[in-house]
Amino acid sequence: MVITKTRSPIRSNIGLKAVMAVTGILLVLFLILHMLGNLKVFTGETSFDHYAHWLRDIGTPLLPSTWYLWIQRTVLVAAVLGHIGSATVLAMRSRAARPVAYAHRRKVHVNYAARTMRWGGVIILLFVIYHILDLTTGHLNPQGDPSNPYGNVVADFAPERWYVTLFYTLAVVTLGFHLRHGAASAFRSLGQQTPKGEQRARAAALVFAVVLCAGYLVVPFAVLTGLVA
Ligand code: HEM
C-alpha cells in the first residue's frame, strides 16, 4: 500500500500564496477606501473633520464608540503580518530550492522584481509607522490635534515643510511599484494565460497603480500649492 503524505494548505506553497493574495486584497481594499476618504479634504474642514469623527463611530450604537476602528486595526495588523510572513517563507523556500542561480535572463528579471518587492515592502512598512505617529497619534505632527485632522494635514504639508511632501511622494511611488507588481500577478492569475492576457494584466495593473498614487498625492500637493489651506 502506498501512503501519500499531504501537507496542510498553510505549509504548502499554494496555501502561502493564497494567504498572500487574501491579505493583499484586504490591504488594497483599505488603501482604496483610505484614498477616497482623504479626497474629502477638498470638501472643506468641517466636512473632513466630521468624516474623521464618523470613522470612530462606525457601528454605534450596536458597538461602543471606536470598537469598529479597533477591529479594523486588528484585521489590518494581522493582514500585514500574514503578508510579510508568507512572503518571507516563500522567498526562503524558493532560495533553498535553487541554490545555484539560473544563467539565463528571465531569472535576472524575476530576481529584480523580487528584490524590488522585498525592499519596497520594507520602505512601505517604515512609512506606515512614521505616518501613524504623524497623522493618527500626532506625535510627529506640527499641530497634532486629534480633534482636527484637517488642521493636522494642512500643518503637515505646509510649503515650508516641502521635505515632508517629498518624503510622502517617495513612499507613495514605492507603494505604486509594489501595487503594480502585486496587481499584475493577481490579474495574470485571474485572466487568460496568453501573451495578450499578460499584456492586459500589465496594463490594468499600471492603470490601477497610477490612479491610486495620484489619488494619494493630490492631497499633499494641494496643501503645498495652497489649494487646500
Ligand atoms: C499621501 C497621502 C495620505 C494622507 C493625506 C493620509 C492621511 C491620513 C490621516 C489624516 C489619517 C488619520 C485619520 C484619523 O485619525 O482620523 C491617516 C491614518 C492612516 N493612514 Fe494615511 N494618509 C495618506 C497615505 C497613506 C498611505 C499611502 C498609507 C498606507 C500605505 C496610509 C495608511 C494609514 C493608516 C494605516 C492609518 C491609521 C488608520 C487608523 O487609525 O486605524 N496612509 N492617514
Side-chain angles (χ1 to χ4, degrees):
M1 192 174 78
V2 182
I3 300 172
T4 46
K5 263 176 50 184
T6 51
R7 278 175 143 188
S8 80
I10 208 76
R11 292 184 59 209
S12 72
N13 279 359
I14 300 279
L16 286 172
K17 283 181 182 171
V19 173
M20 288 231 59
V22 172
T23 53
I25 289 168
L26 280 173
L27 294 169
V28 164
L29 276 179
F30 168 77
L31 283 172
I32 294 171
L33 294 177
H34 186 36
M35 183 205 79
L36 293 174
N38 287 347
L39 292 176
K40 279 192 84 70
V41 85
F42 293 103
T43 60
E45 180 159 9
T46 315
S47 160
F48 187 73
D49 283 357
H50 179 261
Y51 159 74
H53 292 127
W54 169 78
L55 284 178
R56 295 178 179 87
D57 284 334
I58 299 178
T60 56
L62 185 63
L63 298 173
S65 180
T66 77
W67 270 46
Y68 166 80
L69 198 60
W70 281 105
I71 293 169
Q72 179 180 293
R73 286 170 177 166
T74 311
V75 171
L76 284 178
V77 170
V80 168
L81 293 178
H83 205 68
I84 296 174
S86 45
T88 310
V89 175
L90 282 167
M92 279 167 21
R93 280 189 193 159
S94 110
R95 192 175 294 184
R98 165 130 326 242
V100 182
Y102 282 107
H104 62 88
R105 286 192 71 186
R106 180 156 164 74
K107 184 68 186 174
V108 174
H109 185 74
V110 170
N111 262 343
Y112 172 75
R115 252 201 322 270
T116 314
M117 290 307 272
R118 192 173 312 146
W119 288 109
V122 171
I123 293 168
I124 296 161
L125 184 65
L126 292 176
F127 161 76
V128 170
I129 294 170
Y130 166 84
H131 178 56
I132 288 175
L133 292 171
D134 176 14
L135 285 169
T136 303
T137 70
H139 288 91
L140 299 177
N141 188 274
Q143 175 177 279
D145 175 359
S147 66
N148 181 215
Y150 183 94
N152 295 340
V153 170
V154 169
D156 212 18
F157 303 116
E160 63 275 16
R161 284 167 52 87
W162 55 269
Y163 49 89
V164 175
T165 296
L166 178 66
F167 172 62
Y168 267 75
T169 304
L170 293 175
V172 168
V173 169
T174 307
L175 176 69
F177 278 108
H178 198 85
L179 286 175
R180 186 177 76 149
H181 181 85
S185 310
F187 295 153
R188 190 177 301 131
S189 311
L190 293 172
Q192 290 175 307
Q193 322 290 314
T194 58
K196 190 116 192 112
E198 165 75 21
Q199 223 174 24
R200 283 204 196 106
R202 282 168 153 276
L206 181 65
V207 170
F208 170 65
V210 169
V211 168
L212 208 92
C213 280
Y216 272 111
L217 289 181
V218 73
V219 175
F221 278 92
V223 178
L224 183 78
T225 54
L227 195 66
V228 166

